[in-house]
Amino acid sequence: MIGRRALLILAVVGGLSLLGLWGLEGMLRGESSALAGVQVEERPFRSEIQAEGILEARSATVLPVPRELRGRATVAWMAADGSLVAADELLMRFDPSEMERRLEEGQAELRTNDLEAEKTRKASEAKQVELEVQRRVASFELGLSERFQKTDEVIFSRHEIIESAIDRELAQKREHHAEELQRLQGGLDATELDLLEIQRRSAERRLGDAQGGLKALELRAPHGGVLQWNRNWQGEISSPVGAQVYSGQPLAEIDPLDDLQAQVYVLEADAGGLAAGARATVVVEAYPRRPVAATVLRVEPVAQPRNPASPVQYFGVVLALERFDEEIMKPGQRVRARLVVNELDQALVVPRQAVFSDDQGAFVYRREDGRYLVQRVALGPSSTGLTVVAEGLDSGDWIALEAPAELAEGSDG
């Protein structure tokens, strides 16, 4: 705000000085002292606006919680916010308790699974031995029934022959039943072992995650730069020591020192005509005598308030720096910028005080043959105290700084 007020004061003082010179010129030329005026001249025109903001990295590297830390983890230690870090430097350490607990659970689950699998295999072998005995008994009985089957109607009665046939058929069914039980039991045992194998692989995966998590308990810098921990809406570090964080959660960013840009904010009322490509000058607030040339890289399309408690709207503007001053610049520093909105080599420039308006548009009072006429004009860009007349006047015309008491006949005013 100090820079903005200083610019306004300088512009007002300059305008008053210019008006004084123009008024003095009118008096020397013998014009009426009752009505001050100025002579229209071509001169260079330049309008600037002030903005404030910060330096930020153009391509910051986001640092999330390592993916190897499945689930949640607790922050045990962290480097100081805003510190300058080197590549592979330790930034954050996580509490190993959770990973150690998962490791122990995974190991216990594997041991339990191995015992269950061994128990199932032993039980399956015992059951298969039992079923094999039943099958052999049934097969032996079938052999006896076939060997001693009563079929001779001369020797055996009809009742004995039928009973022998029934015994043979029953022995066949018992053998078939024993074989079917063996097959079904083998399938059930194989299925149960497959399920245990699936459980084992799941336990091995969880154990591997825990082992990987133990190796990922340290967060290190992928490259050098300035460390910036993420902050919440209250401006506090969002994941301090003791906080619970989750896999993939963004924690911080590292801003490289050699790739900075300026993010500044321009009042909505001052941003008219500002566009990408405009020239600018940036100074770090702590070093106001070391300006750096810049160019407007991007102007946000929508104005927004910077403070939720204030309705004042600003356009965000990104400035590309033409050089990097490594001695004084680092991300997060406050900067002030002067942005050139309009710049003309030659233009008809008049004081804004000399321009009037009505429902038909802008006009000035132009002096002709000792009298004043209303002259309609088309205006160009303007600055504090001055405006460019694009059409309606010529260099050398004399215009009034206030409305004359009488107008010449034929004037359209």
Side-chain angles (χ1 to χ4, degrees):
M1 293 301 296
I2 295 177
R4 184 177 178 80
R5 290 174 181 170
L7 179 63
L8 180 61
I9 292 173
L10 290 174
V12 171
V13 171
L16 292 176
S17 300
L18 186 60
L19 291 178
L21 292 174
W22 275 333
L24 178 61
E25 182 181 354
M27 294 176 63
L28 293 175
R29 291 179 52 175
E31 301 291 348
S32 173
S33 60
L35 193 62
V38 296
Q39 186 177 26
V40 179
E41 297 178 351
E42 282 193 340
R43 63 187 65 201
F45 174 80
R46 175 173 176 167
S47 62
E48 298 179 343
I49 55 176
Q50 287 269 347
E52 297 179 351
I54 61 171
L55 290 177
E56 64 179 16
R58 184 179 303 178
S59 56
T61 301
V62 178
L63 301 177
V65 177
R67 296 288 180 182
E68 294 81 2
L69 292 178
R70 303 290 184 182
R72 64 184 180 182
T74 303
V75 179
W77 176 87
M78 60 195 304
D81 185 44
S83 58
L84 183 63
V85 298
D88 202 41
E89 184 173 339
L90 180 62
L91 306 179
M92 178 177 281
R93 185 181 294 114
F94 302 97
D95 185 4
S97 302
E98 180 68 17
M99 293 299 108
E100 291 173 348
R101 181 187 64 80
R102 295 180 190 174
L103 181 65
E104 292 176 358
E105 289 180 351
Q107 292 172 340
E109 188 174 353
L110 274 181
R111 288 194 296 268
T112 301
N113 183 271
D114 290 340
L115 292 174
E116 285 291 333
E118 183 64 23
K119 177 182 175 181
T120 300
R121 281 191 292 269
K122 294 295 185 182
S124 175
E125 291 174 359
K127 189 66 175 178
Q128 287 295 333
V129 169
E130 179 183 350
L131 292 175
E132 178 63 18
V133 170
Q134 293 180 9
R135 187 195 66 79
R136 288 183 179 182
V137 170
S139 179
F140 179 74
E141 291 178 348
L142 175 61
L144 290 177
S145 64
E146 289 178 344
R147 181 177 180 183
F148 300 104
Q149 184 177 4
K150 300 174 181 180
T151 58
D152 193 344
E153 296 180 355
V154 175
I155 301 175
F156 303 103
S157 67
R158 181 174 178 80
H159 177 74
E160 289 176 327
I161 293 174
I162 294 175
E163 185 178 5
S164 177
I166 293 175
D167 290 340
R168 179 179 179 278
E169 183 179 356
L170 180 59
Q172 287 178 333
K173 289 185 179 297
R174 284 177 178 172
E175 183 185 40
H176 177 73
H177 178 68
E179 292 175 349
E180 189 67 18
L181 281 179
Q182 276 188 307
R183 187 183 65 79
L184 291 176
Q185 187 63 43
L188 289 175
D189 293 340
T191 300
E192 187 171 355
L193 288 173
D194 288 342
L195 289 175
L196 288 172
E197 181 61 26
I198 292 174
Q199 294 174 4
R200 178 181 178 79
R201 288 198 294 267
S202 178
E204 287 176 343
R205 184 173 61 255
R206 288 192 290 272
L207 180 62
D209 290 344
Q211 292 171 338
L214 285 173
K215 296 178 182 179
L217 290 175
E218 293 183 348
L219 181 66
R220 295 185 174 272
H223 57 76
V226 176
L227 174 65
Q228 302 282 343
W229 294 109
N230 288 356
R231 296 181 176 273
N232 56 25
W233 66 273
Q234 294 177 320
E236 302 172 344
I237 295 177
S238 57
S239 301
V241 173
Q244 297 284 325
V245 295
Y246 296 87
S247 175
Q249 175 183 337
L251 294 174
E253 63 180 31
I254 293 183
D255 302 330
L257 291 176
D258 56 353
D259 189 23
L260 298 181
Q261 63 186 15
Q263 172 72 61
V264 298
Y265 299 90
V266 177
L267 280 170
E268 183 181 20
D270 295 339
L274 184 62
R279 296 190 301 110
T281 302
V282 176
V283 294
V284 178
E285 284 193 345
Y287 302 91
R289 296 187 178 181
R290 298 177 68 169
V292 175
T295 304
V296 175
L297 187 64
R298 183 175 66 256
V299 180
E300 297 297 334
V302 180
Q304 297 180 347
R306 295 180 63 188
N307 187 341
S310 173
V312 181
Q313 305 257 39
Y314 295 84
F315 280 99
V317 179
V318 178
L319 303 178
L321 305 177
E322 293 188 4
R323 65 180 178 87
F324 169 65
D325 193 335
E326 60 182 8
E327 294 183 0
I328 64 173
M329 290 183 173
K330 72 175 186 177
Q333 285 182 305
R334 292 186 57 82
V335 296
R336 289 182 285 110
R338 295 170 58 189
L339 294 81
V340 179
V341 181
N342 293 287
E343 187 171 23
L344 302 173
D345 294 335
Q346 291 293 322
L348 296 177
V349 182
V350 301
R352 298 182 72 169
Q353 179 185 351
V355 180
F356 303 86
S357 63
D358 56 17
D359 56 357
Q360 298 182 36
F363 65 90
V364 298
Y365 294 105
R366 181 174 60 84
R367 186 174 179 83
E368 184 178 323
D369 298 331
R371 298 177 300 175
Y372 284 96
L373 302 172
V374 171
Q375 178 66 49
R376 296 288 170 179
V377 294
L379 302 179
S382 62
S383 63
T384 304
L386 300 174
T387 187
V388 172
V389 176
E391 296 179 4
L393 292 177
D394 296 320
S395 180
D397 286 345
W398 186 267
I399 60 175
L401 294 176
E402 55 184 313
E406 297 181 0
L407 296 176
E409 294 183 2
S411 171
D412 60 359

